Structure formats: structure tokens, C-alpha cells
């Protein structure tokens, strides 16, 4: 067990199964006093604060520089706590909780009146999730509070998948960070709205639409919303830029062989213009490419591995100060849907179709 201070932020480092409970109890004390503690989850690190304390929640928005109308996910440690937060709980919510909690699924339900509007971005719904990470669960249990937890990054930057990423963005702005090592899933939870007739995926994530449909024995729909739409987005998060590395990122889409040819062509063109070009590719393509700024995310055959490494790779390109990033696209099967959603967001409108 090591505790050190980085720019005033307390880092709980080297946590072992033997020290987990005492460390979690100390961090929980900070939450109970209205302070902020970043904690590991299976998806990404979250920035925790007491979800029922409007002042603690206001601190979360300030620390991240997050727009006030973008609501927070509330983390719980047992499904029964849904009753404390949600005014109505359909049978589908209990069924999904039974199958996927603890795990990367967030349920949007009508909120109880006592959940502060600061937490829900002024909406009358609340997003709830029970994370699958021993450190998160120990913290939530010790705090015995519902804990609001957006990703623990500065708003707009790639989500943090290590404690170092959290410190990069938030050291000196929050009370503490619990280091639980790298996050195994690496992309955020699936956000599912259960308030209408048809379950609606507001954000694809760690649990796939196929998995949800199989449990509910019905189709779910994917929320679509375009920036130019006059209607309010189904989830406020949809209208904000996300996951943006500092350099512009171009995303390729199409057959792998054609993508590779285009990668080689653009790499050469841009290098001739004197640019430092970062290539964000599969292991298969990395083997066929040459250059110093190539990050291999893993084999196309294992998209979960690629997803797990994506955000760290975007931050790595920031550190190397590349001028432009060229990223390969993937199939949207399974977790590929969440992977491509994050890549598309990182790219903004810079998508190159190669057929
Ligand atoms: O995996 C995750 O979900 C991580 C970890 C820390 O749990 N958390 C996370 O939180 O990604 P955040 O704040 O970065 O993203 C939450 C998303 C946003 O897009 C937000 O707009 C949406 O969930 N959201 C939250 N409450 C909502 C609500 N009541 N209705 C619709 N969307 C909501
Ligand atoms: Mg986020």
C-alpha cells in the first residue's frame, strides 16, 4: 500500500486484495464528506462524487469542465438500490440487471424526485449502472452512497483507462485517485433507455445490442441523431465532441485490403508535406506498414482487445505530438459497434470511404 500526493491529489497506489478494504474505506470517507475520488471500473475510470449531494456534483462538472446539461451516470453496488433512484422500474430492468450486472450496462429510468437536477442535467430521468470491478465495488459499498461517475477525463479528451491518464487530466483538481490498473473493457458502458415501448440504445458500449435483444427476447433500436437536427438529442452526450486527440484523426472505412492501400498512400503524401503521421491500425496491417509512429491495437480477429487499447493509443499520439492520425476502421459486429462509434467521434466528420 502506497499513498502519495501528486499536485495535491492523493494517489492510492499498489492496492492488493489484503489492503483493498482499508483503502476503499479511506477513499469512501472523502466521498461522504462531499469530495471527489476517481476510481477504476471495468470500462474506464470514473470521477466519483455523492450523487445526492448537489454541491459534490457541481464539483464534478467544474473539475471536468463538463457542460452542465450533460447528465451523469449513477453507480450502485447492488441492484436493489435502483429503488432509491428510479421512480418506476420495468420488469426488463430487473431482467437485464440479473444478466449483465455487475457489468458495462447503464439503464435510463424515470428518476425519483430527490435525485438532484444537477446530477441528471435537468432531465427527469436517471442513468444507473452497477460496475464490475472489485475496487469500484469496495468503494461503493464502503461509501454506502449512490455515486455519480462520469469518465474521469477533462471534458472532450479521450476517456482514461489508467490512473496515470486520470492524473494527466485531473491532478490538483480532485481529492483522490484509486489505482486499480488498466481497465479491461476500455470503452464505456452501453447506455440503454428503458422508458419507452422499445428499448433504445443511446450509446453503444461494452454490452452489445445482440446480447440485450437475446435477454429481452425483442429487438432494441439504436438512437440516431445528427448534429444539424432541430430536435433535442435523445441523450445530451450525443451533441458534444468526444474522445478527441489533439491532432486531427481521419478514419478509414471499407475492405481491409483497400484500407491498407489508402493508408500507405496517405502516409506517403502527408510525410512528403513534412507532417508527422500517426497510424492507428490492426496487428495485421502493422505488419505490412513501415514508419515510427505506428500503434498496433491488436488483431482484427479480437475486436475486444482493439477496443480496450483505443483510448490509451489516442493519448499516446498526443504525447508524441503527431500532426495527423490515420485510423483503420473495423466491422461493427459485436463490440465493434462501440469501437467504431468511438473512432467516428474521435474523427468528427473526417471519414474516408474506400469501398
Ligand atoms: O462506462 C461508463 O459508463 C463510465 C464509467 C465511469 O462508469 N461512465 C461514463 O460516464 O462514460 P460519462 O458521463 O462519460 O457518459 C455518460 C453518458 C453521457 O453520454 C450522458 O449524456 C449519458 O450517459 N446519460 C447520462 N444520464 C442520462 C440520462 N438520464 N438520459 C440520457 N442519457 C444520459
Ligand atoms: Mg465521458
Amino acid at each position: 500500500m502506497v499513498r502519495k500526493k501528486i499536485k495535491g491529489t492523493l494517489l492510492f497506489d499498489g492496492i492488493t486484495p489484503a489492503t483493498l478494504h482499508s483503502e476503499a474505506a479511506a477513499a469512501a470517507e472523502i466521498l461522504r464528506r462531499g469530495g471527489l475520488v476517481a476510481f477504476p471500473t471495468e470500462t474506464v475510470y470514473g470521477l466519483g462524487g455523492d450523487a445526492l449531494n448537489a454541491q459534490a456534483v457541481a464539483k464534478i462538472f467544474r473539475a471536468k469542465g463538463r457542460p452542465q446539461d450533460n447528465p451523469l451516470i449513477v453507480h450502485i453496488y447492488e441492484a436493489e438500490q435502483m429503488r432509491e433512484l428510479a421512480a418506476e422500474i420495468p420488469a426488463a430492468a430487473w431482467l437485464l440487471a440479473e444478466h449483465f450486472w455487475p457489468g458495462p450496462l447503464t439503464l435510463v429510468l424515470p428518476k425519483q424526485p430527490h435525485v438532484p437536477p444537477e446530477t441528471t442535467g435537468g432531465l427527469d430521468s436517471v442513468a444507473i449502472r452497477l460496475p464490475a470491478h472489485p475496487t469500484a465495488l469496495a468503494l461503493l459499498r464502503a461509501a454506502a452512497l449512490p455515486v455519480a461517475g462520469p469518465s474521469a477525463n477533462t471534458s472532450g479528451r479521450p476517456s482514461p483507462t489508467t490512473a496515470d491518464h486520470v492524473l494527466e487530466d485531473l491532478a490538483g483538481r480532485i481529492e483522490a485517485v484509486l489505482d486499480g490498473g488498466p481497465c479491461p473493457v476500455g470503452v464505456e458502458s452501453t447506455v440503454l433507455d428503458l422508458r419507452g415501448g422499445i428499448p433504445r440504445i443511446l450509446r453503444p458500449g461494452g454490452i452489445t445490442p445482440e446480447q440485450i435483444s437475446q435477454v429481452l427476447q425483442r429487438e432494441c433500436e439504436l438512437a440516431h441523431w445528427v448534429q444539424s437536427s432541430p430536435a433535442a438529442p435523445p441523450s445530451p452526450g450525443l451533441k458534444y465532441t468526444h474522445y478527441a486527440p489533439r491532432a486531427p484523426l481521419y478514419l478509414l472505412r471499407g475492405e481491409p485490403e483497400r484500407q491498407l492501400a489508402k493508408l500507405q498512400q496517405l502516409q506517403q503524401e502527408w510525410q512528403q508535406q513534412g507532417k508527422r503521421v500517426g497510424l492507428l491500425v490492426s496487428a495485421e496491417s502493422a505488419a505490412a506498414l513501415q514508419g515510427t509512429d505506428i500503434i498496433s491495437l491488436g488483431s482484427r480477429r479480437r475486436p475486444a482487445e482493439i477496443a480496450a487499447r483505443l483510448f490509451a493509443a489516442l493519448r499516446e499520439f498526443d504525447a508524441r505530438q503527431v500532426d495527423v492520425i490515420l485510423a483503420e476502421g473495423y466491422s461493427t459486429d459485436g463490440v465493434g459497434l462501440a469501437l467504431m462509434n468511438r473512432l467516428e467521434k474521435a474523427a468528427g466528420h473526417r471519414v474516408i470511404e474506400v469501398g
Side-chain angles (χ1 to χ4, degrees), residues 44 64 66 70 150-153 156-157 159-160 188 203 242-243:
V44 302
K64 279 182 62 82
R66 183 178 176 102
N70 196 3
S151 49
N153 50 294
R157 293 215 66 214
S159 294
E188 301 88 339
R203 176 179 73 181
H242 272 87
Y243 322 117

Side-chain angles (χ1 to χ4, degrees), residues 107-133:
L107 302 178
V108 174
L109 297 169
K111 81 173 187 78
Q112 288 272 15
H114 70 100
V115 178
E118 286 79 359
T119 304
T120 63
L123 299 176
D124 55 9
S125 57
V126 58
I128 308 173
R129 130 165 165 88
L130 201 163
H133 194 290

Side-chain angles (χ1 to χ4, degrees), residues 214-227:
Q214 198 180 15
V215 166
L216 295 182
Q217 288 291 298
R218 62 180 302 181
E219 289 294 304
C220 37
E221 77 186 21
L222 260 179
H224 282 289
W225 183 81
V226 283
Q227 199 76 42

